[in-house]
Amino acid sequence: MGRTRIKPGKVRLTEVAELAGVSPITVSRFFRNPDTVSPGRRARIESAAKELGYVPNLAARALASQRTEVIGVLIPSLTNNVFADLLRGIYDAFEGSRYGIQLANTRYSVLQEERLLQLFLMQKPAGLIVTGQDQTAEGRTVIEAADCPVVQIMELGADPIDMMIGFSHVDACYAAISHLLGQGCRRIGFIGARMDPRVQRRLQGYQKAMKDAALFDPRLIVTAPVPTSATMGGSLFSDLLLKAPDLDAVFCANDDLALGVLFECQRRHIAVPEQVAIVGFNDMEFMAAAVPSLTSVRTNRYDMGRRAATMIMDAIEGRPVAQRVVDLGFEVIQRESSTLQRAAATLPPQAGRISGTKW
Amino acid sequence: MGRTRIKPGKVRLTEVAELAGVSPITVSRFFRNPDTVSPGRRARIESAAKELGYVPNLAARALASQRTEVIGVLIPSLTNNVFADLLRGIYDAFEGSRYGIQLANTRYSVLQEERLLQLFLMQKPAGLIVTGQDQTAEGRTVIEAADCPVVQIMELGADPIDMMIGFSHVDACYAAISHLLGQGCRRIGFIGARMDPRVQRRLQGYQKAMKDAALFDPRLIVTAPVPTSATMGGSLFSDLLLKAPDLDAVFCANDDLALGVLFECQRRHIAVPEQVAIVGFNDMEFMAAAVPSLTSVRTNRYDMGRRAATMIMDAIEGRPVAQRVVDLGFEVIQRESSTLQRAAATLPPQAGRISGTKW
DNA sequence: TTGTACGCGTTATCAA
DNA sequence: TTGATAACGCGTACAA
């Protein structure tokens, strides 16, 4: 038979209630919403709890209430700095709230993502933040089964699961290429690594811009499925130089690639931007510090995290969510590495902005 | 009275058991350890579960079993790239295991840490990974109350809570300075930002090395409490040049600072390493790609994460943990930015290694 | 290998 | 504002 499993030292709600001379439910109320308990009992409960060292049992709470305060966050990479800013935004927004973030890493695999969503489901999360829009059909089913507010981040697209916040990678890259075209560049290369869905869409933007300008040439594109890094930027650029020696600019799908290209140019004594202009993507911190400073496409990752978190909380707590699909836009931050006209060259750093948004 | 709260569509263990024609406990066993159920029933249970779309309820499981499979991880920053590698190691090691990682961000605040530990405690985590050894007394009490295996990472020190894995920041920095001294540098500056406990210890190592060489001069030290960045590296280096114009080397407490120093040198046309040698700390990926390539102190962050995770799992599952305190050591990776002697200059990159460990 | 009986610690529901 | 009662879904302990 199920014998008694009572462990002596354990402090439950009941013990606190006894010591405080109230019923357990009152103690429960005190912990969830102190204002619903009269001041006198409030004080008694508080001191009783402190005296006994009471710690609420979240499992029991979740079982009884049929919900948790867990927010599941699914991102494809912990290494990619892009997600650091995003996460900072998310963590900042949830700071001091009652929600706890549970972070999972899909490693750019939709199957991993599916499995991780299954695990989240067992926890009955209060909300879900997932990266991108390329979930499997199975994955979407699981998300829907979770029956909680969901925000898809990083991208925009048709058919959102619930809410969505991001920007158009196609448009952002198109704007970057347009900027280079505006600077007089014609033989603009594209280098990209890892080639996840978002980088693929940047490549689409590149192709569209080059085709629209009747300058498209497949030899100008060099990609690799490996993780992005400065070293890889240097080697992809070297490959590109072989395929297209008459290159006059390079768009890098990530900033670390751009940094590697800059160093490779220094190594080969290629003048930037005079011989080759460089544009990166994401506008990481070091881009402004580089010599020459490096042009990049700024994306509002921190804001994206914050707002995604806010949208989730609003939805959970029944507040109306003004916009269920938010376009955060982007901005081409022009710096020395792509400033070729005399007039433009005298602008202060970061003065040149080409921004895009659907608002 | 507590009326029935039964929601019709809900699938519990019981429903699966009924459909499969077995008792609930058998289904329970099937999900936790399929091998303990006979193949015939196994198949019936599996198809019944699939048919009903059964999802285990983790809260109920945790309540009944009095434990969870949550591993709490506490790190001070998501922005600092150092932690990205560490986390990758941790996530890789737990990959495919039954444990789930819950990540919390202390933002370099011991009070935040204390609060977050409290939150973990309510979940009854199976294990805890915490950064550093500077918990408050309260924090240590909470950790001990969690009554689970604990690994402190990043540093080594006396008085571990339970297990510990890291390296000596004092020794690592001492080795880096010794390397510069060996290259003939005498006026070696120190620049550091954020000044968390580990950076403080690097500063101690610097001071010890300089004092041992009778070359200590407080004017050679410039620090700032702000987050580390390339831009900050440039500006701290500029400050340092004002205080010590006769500088012949700079040790940077973080690699992004070193990158900023390199760019500042390029901007000022200071030859690296001939006029100023540069050494960084952590050996981030871009250090090898830079022109000139940048010397740094390699720390085994990925390994640290992996091994911390392994130690935790071993401890949880009752396997003996060979070493409860692990010194991972470090390695000074000598590159062009600190290679001043003719002989050394012909060495291939990364050929120079000065490693330190207590093994 | 399978089943029986019960308890895990909390909250929902309804009544006072 | 407070309390009585039952239920949340599962695993442990023991027996067969």
Side-chain angles (χ1 to χ4, degrees):
Chain A
M1 300 158 290
R3 295 290 158 283
T4 173
R5 299 182 236 163
I6 307 154
K7 280 157 198 167
K10 296 191 62 169
V11 182
R12 292 165 305 170
L13 215 47
T14 317
E15 274 77 69
V16 178
E18 269 168 21
L19 183 59
V22 299
S23 80
I25 189 66
T26 306
V27 179
S28 170
R29 288 193 183 107
F30 167 80
F31 277 103
R32 287 173 298 154
N33 206 340
D35 306 329
T36 59
V37 176
S38 64
R41 303 189 184 214
R42 202 148 52 188
R44 293 218 308 280
I45 293 170
E46 187 155 21
S47 76
K50 196 162 293 171
E51 186 177 331
L52 297 172
Y54 170 69
V55 176
N57 181 323
L58 287 190
R61 181 177 286 180
L63 180 59
S65 69
Q66 297 286 64
R67 50 201 173 64
T68 67
E69 284 160 359
V70 170
I71 307 289
V73 177
L74 242 60
I75 59 169
S77 166
L78 289 166
T79 316
N80 193 331
N81 295 322
V82 165
F83 294 103
D85 293 324
L86 175 80
L87 286 175
R88 225 164 22 88
I90 295 177
Y91 275 83
D92 280 5
F94 281 114
E95 169 100 41
S97 81
R98 51 201 232 182
Y99 301 100
I101 299 156
Q102 192 134 0
L103 182 66
N105 177 7
T106 67
R107 301 148 174 269
Y108 292 104
S109 150
V110 284
L111 283 89
Q112 268 290 340
E113 183 175 58
E114 208 176 295
R115 209 182 62 86
L116 292 166
L117 283 168
Q118 276 285 1
L119 286 175
F120 276 140
L121 188 56
M122 313 198 322
Q123 306 204 38
K124 304 188 184 300
L128 239 30
I129 297 180
V130 301
T131 302
Q133 45 178 327
D134 302 284
Q135 290 78 26
T136 59
E138 274 291 335
R140 285 183 86 109
T141 308
V142 176
I143 291 174
E144 273 148 21
D147 191 35
C148 63
V150 180
V151 181
Q152 288 165 287
I153 55 170
M154 294 304 288
E155 297 181 59
L156 251 31
D159 193 25
I161 298 174
D162 179 9
M163 296 175 283
M164 198 170 233
I165 182 165
F167 62 94
S168 164
H169 291 253
V170 175
D171 293 355
C173 185
Y174 191 96
I177 302 303
S178 299
H179 158 64
L180 283 168
L181 292 168
Q183 295 291 309
C185 300
R186 290 297 170 262
R187 297 288 289 165
I188 304 170
F190 177 101
I191 70 179
R194 208 189 44 240
M195 305 313 290
D196 64 72
R198 285 153 298 281
V199 175
Q200 300 277 12
R201 289 188 184 102
R202 288 172 215 159
L203 178 53
Q204 284 169 30
Y206 165 85
Q207 290 172 328
K208 184 167 187 315
M210 293 299 275
K211 283 176 179 161
D212 285 357
L215 291 169
F216 181 74
D217 176 353
R219 284 170 300 182
L220 288 168
I221 299 173
V222 176
T223 65
V226 300
T228 140
S229 70
T231 304
M232 191 46 53
S235 85
L236 291 175
F237 179 62
S238 299
D239 293 353
L240 182 58
L241 283 176
L242 289 176
K243 290 174 71 182
D246 59 339
L247 199 74
D248 59 16
V250 196
F251 171 82
C252 306
N254 285 295
D255 282 344
D256 41 6
L257 296 176
L259 184 63
V261 170
L262 173 63
F263 285 136
E264 191 62 36
C265 286
Q266 292 181 358
R267 198 169 286 120
R268 293 168 180 260
H269 304 288
I270 295 173
V272 178
E274 294 76 12
Q275 290 176 267
V276 173
I278 303 175
V279 172
F281 198 96
N282 279 326
D283 198 31
M284 313 259 42
E285 185 271 333
F286 58 79
M287 298 297 273
V291 177
S293 58
L294 296 166
T295 296
S296 194
V297 181
R298 176 177 299 167
T299 59
N300 307 298
R301 299 181 297 283
Y302 179 82
D303 269 4
M304 187 156 65
R306 273 200 88 94
R307 294 192 56 172
T310 309
M311 287 161 81
I312 283 277
M313 283 193 277
D314 284 348
I316 293 171
E317 288 158 19
R319 288 187 291 273
V321 178
Q323 281 183 280
R324 302 190 71 83
V325 175
V326 178
D327 182 348
L328 236 31
F330 54 84
E331 216 173 335
V332 178
I333 307 292
Q334 182 179 352
R335 298 205 181 88
E336 294 162 359
S337 71
S338 70
T339 299
L340 285 161
Q341 296 156 346
R342 288 278 153 254
T346 61
L347 289 175
Q350 305 197 10
R353 287 183 157 78
I354 305 166
S355 64
T357 170
K358 284 172 179 158
W359 289 336
Chain B
M1 301 156 289
R3 293 291 158 285
T4 173
R5 298 182 235 165
I6 307 153
K7 281 158 198 165
K10 297 191 61 170
V11 183
R12 292 165 304 170
L13 216 45
T14 317
E15 274 76 68
V16 178
E18 267 168 22
L19 183 60
V22 299
S23 80
I25 189 64
T26 305
V27 179
S28 169
R29 288 194 181 105
F30 167 81
F31 278 104
R32 286 172 299 149
N33 206 340
D35 307 327
T36 59
V37 175
S38 63
R41 303 188 185 217
R42 203 148 51 190
R44 294 219 307 282
I45 293 170
E46 187 155 19
S47 76
K50 195 162 294 169
E51 187 177 332
L52 297 173
Y54 171 68
V55 176
N57 182 323
L58 286 192
R61 182 179 285 181
L63 181 58
S65 69
Q66 296 285 65
R67 50 199 174 65
T68 67
E69 284 160 359
V70 170
I71 307 289
V73 177
L74 241 60
I75 60 169
S77 167
L78 289 165
T79 317
N80 192 331
N81 294 323
V82 165
F83 294 104
D85 294 323
L86 175 80
L87 286 175
R88 226 166 18 89
I90 294 177
Y91 275 83
D92 279 5
F94 281 115
E95 169 100 42
S97 80
R98 51 204 233 181
Y99 300 100
I101 299 156
Q102 192 134 0
L103 182 65
N105 178 6
T106 67
R107 301 150 173 266
Y108 292 104
S109 150
V110 284
L111 283 87
Q112 269 289 341
E113 183 175 58
E114 208 177 296
R115 209 182 62 86
L116 292 166
L117 283 168
Q118 276 285 0
L119 286 174
F120 276 141
L121 189 56
M122 312 198 323
Q123 306 205 36
K124 304 188 185 301
L128 238 29
I129 297 179
V130 301
T131 302
Q133 45 177 326
D134 302 284
Q135 290 78 25
T136 60
E138 273 294 334
R140 284 183 87 109
T141 307
V142 176
I143 292 174
E144 271 147 22
D147 191 36
C148 65
V150 180
V151 182
Q152 287 165 286
I153 55 171
M154 293 303 288
E155 298 182 57
L156 252 29
D159 193 26
I161 298 175
D162 179 8
M163 295 175 284
M164 198 171 233
I165 182 164
F167 62 94
S168 165
H169 291 252
V170 176
D171 294 355
C173 185
Y174 191 96
I177 303 303
S178 299
H179 158 64
L180 284 169
L181 291 169
Q183 295 291 311
C185 300
R186 289 297 171 263
R187 296 287 289 165
I188 305 169
F190 177 101
I191 71 180
R194 209 189 43 240
M195 304 315 291
D196 65 71
R198 284 153 300 280
V199 175
Q200 299 277 13
R201 290 187 184 103
R202 288 173 215 159
L203 179 53
Q204 284 169 30
Y206 165 84
Q207 290 173 328
K208 185 168 186 315
M210 293 299 274
K211 283 177 179 162
D212 286 356
L215 292 168
F216 181 73
D217 176 353
R219 285 169 301 183
L220 289 167
I221 300 173
V222 177
T223 65
V226 301
T228 142
S229 70
T231 305
M232 191 45 54
S235 84
L236 290 176
F237 179 62
S238 299
D239 293 352
L240 182 59
L241 284 176
L242 290 176
K243 291 175 68 182
D246 59 338
L247 200 75
D248 59 16
V250 197
F251 171 82
C252 305
N254 284 295
D255 281 345
D256 41 7
L257 295 176
L259 183 64
V261 170
L262 173 63
F263 285 135
E264 191 61 36
C265 286
Q266 293 180 358
R267 199 168 285 118
R268 293 168 180 261
H269 304 291
I270 295 174
V272 177
E274 293 76 9
Q275 290 176 267
V276 172
I278 302 176
V279 172
F281 198 96
N282 279 325
D283 198 30
M284 313 258 44
E285 185 271 332
F286 59 77
M287 298 296 273
V291 178
S293 59
L294 295 166
T295 296
S296 194
V297 180
R298 175 177 300 166
T299 60
N300 307 297
R301 299 181 296 283
Y302 179 82
D303 269 3
M304 187 156 65
R306 273 201 88 95
R307 293 191 57 172
T310 309
M311 288 161 79
I312 283 278
M313 283 194 277
D314 284 347
I316 293 171
E317 288 158 20
R319 289 187 290 273
V321 178
Q323 283 183 279
R324 301 190 72 82
V325 175
V326 178
D327 183 347
L328 237 31
F330 54 84
E331 217 173 336
V332 177
I333 308 292
Q334 181 178 353
R335 299 205 182 89
E336 294 162 358
S337 71
S338 70
T339 299
L340 285 161
Q341 296 156 348
R342 289 277 152 256
T346 62
L347 290 175
Q350 305 197 8
R353 285 182 158 78
I354 305 167
S355 64
T357 169
K358 285 175 178 156
W359 288 334

